[in-house]
Amino acid sequence: MMRAVSSNAFGLLIVCFLTFPEPLFPARSIINLDIVSPGVIGNYTASSINLSGPAFDVSISRLRERFLAHFNISHTFLYNYSILNCVDFQNEVQNMLARWYYTVDRSESVTVIMTPGCIESAQLNELAATWNVLLISTANSAPAIRDKAKSPSWVTTNLFPSSYYGEIFNQLIVFHNWTSIDILLDRGSTGSYVLMFSLTIAVLENRKMRATNRDYNSSSGEFEFPAFLQRVSTRNRILLFLGSPNELRKLLVGFDKLAIQGDNHCHESG
């Protein structure tokens, strides 16, 4: 009996689809989806378009394959060859994005800002909130994302905003019961390291943690890592280094020279 009822019901559905007027079942229109990815060109940061762009390309390709029947997807990398660091990009990103956004009439499309991120997420969020468009940040975020009045359309894949870096390092120090630490910053590296440095110093000072700070600029000349590490070894076992991979390599070479000389008191962390 149950099988007979199912068969009759299926037959009824077929009759309904065949006899209802066609206008009741209009074809679903394809949505135009414009995705823009503002970013920095070069090797200044790990989230630059050079390094993260291939992953974005693969993801967009997968989206097109999966939602071909529903979306017509376009993707634009937005950059300026004359902007090579995160600080300059943060200052210019709103102007760049606004020029792109207002170039064409976007009333017939859906806009999404999907960015690899540097330190400009707050500036992007201001425009996304004003335009009521989706903002997806990946490598960068900020506490403002929790305030839905200010960030109504912002989501992130980053679990820990960059503005919390100071707290990250503080928790690391507390976890290992370290009582003091040396911090070395290369101001010639990316702006994000400078941000980490200032945030970390502020948190450690607030928590009364003993921290000895030193900075240098790799773009102005070579830093004497062996001599610096020799001095660090007399007061600390922990060194937090904030700088580019190339400068980190030089630091490790200096550390190796120190170890060969028989002083293995210093331990590096970066």
Side-chain angles (χ1 to χ4, degrees):
M1 177 63 69
M2 182 63 71
R3 182 171 298 176
V5 170
S6 298
S7 177
N8 290 337
F10 182 68
L12 180 61
L13 287 175
I14 294 178
V15 172
C16 289
F17 274 96
L18 291 177
T19 57
F20 280 163
E22 184 176 349
L24 293 179
F25 297 90
R28 180 178 296 178
S29 59
I30 296 179
I31 299 174
N32 293 320
L33 185 60
D34 296 337
I35 302 175
V36 59
S37 298
V40 176
I41 291 292
N43 297 319
Y44 183 78
T45 174
S47 60
S48 67
I49 290 177
N50 305 49
L51 302 177
S52 62
F56 276 63
D57 286 338
V58 171
S59 299
I60 296 298
S61 179
R62 296 283 178 83
L63 282 175
R64 287 174 176 146
E65 293 175 0
R66 185 173 181 179
F67 298 105
L68 179 63
H70 306 284
F71 295 99
N72 177 27
I73 302 175
S74 68
H75 181 222
T76 302
F77 284 114
L78 192 62
Y79 55 88
N80 187 325
Y81 280 117
S82 65
I83 299 177
L84 302 177
N85 63 74
C86 293
V87 175
D88 290 343
F89 185 68
Q90 182 186 38
N91 294 333
E92 292 295 329
V93 68
Q94 287 188 331
N95 179 51
M96 294 169 58
L97 186 58
R99 285 176 178 271
W100 174 87
Y101 185 80
Y102 290 114
T103 297
V104 299
D105 180 10
R106 303 195 182 278
S107 60
E108 300 298 323
S109 63
V110 175
T111 300
V112 176
I113 305 170
M114 184 172 64
T115 173
C118 199
I119 57 174
E120 76 291 341
S121 57
Q123 286 72 30
L124 293 177
N125 179 53
E126 290 178 355
L127 294 182
T130 300
W131 296 334
N132 192 30
V133 302
L134 176 62
L135 167 62
I136 304 175
S137 62
T138 55
N140 182 252
S141 183
I145 193 173
R146 300 179 183 275
D147 186 345
K148 290 307 174 184
K150 296 180 179 179
S151 312
S153 60
W154 184 9
V155 296
T156 184
T157 60
N158 189 334
L159 298 179
F160 220 101
S162 61
S163 55
Y164 292 169
Y165 274 122
E167 186 57 40
I168 291 177
F169 293 130
N170 175 69
Q171 291 182 14
L172 181 66
I173 293 170
V174 172
F175 179 80
H176 290 285
N177 294 317
W178 295 332
T179 57
S180 63
I181 184 174
D182 263 76
I183 304 176
L184 178 63
L185 166 70
D186 172 23
R187 293 190 177 276
S189 296
T190 71
S192 58
Y193 291 123
V194 178
L195 175 64
M196 292 180 201
F197 181 77
S198 60
L199 292 172
T200 302
I201 295 302
V203 171
L204 295 184
E205 288 180 350
N206 184 56
R207 304 295 169 82
K208 308 301 180 183
M209 176 64 66
R210 286 186 298 168
T212 304
N213 314 317
R214 172 69 189 275
D215 63 344
Y216 71 100
N217 194 323
S218 58
S219 61
S220 300
E222 292 293 325
F223 183 70
E224 292 294 332
F225 284 106
F228 168 75
L229 291 172
Q230 182 67 52
R231 291 192 297 272
V232 170
S233 68
T234 64
R235 60 177 178 259
N236 268 322
R237 291 182 58 83
I238 308 302
L239 170 63
L240 172 62
F241 176 71
L242 301 173
S244 67
N246 186 51
E247 290 300 298
L248 175 60
R249 181 188 64 80
K250 296 176 182 178
L251 182 145
L252 294 176
V253 171
F255 178 77
D256 188 59
K257 290 180 179 179
L258 194 65
I260 291 176
Q261 293 172 3
D263 190 343
N264 58 1
H265 181 66
C266 182
H267 172 71
E268 86 283 352
S269 175

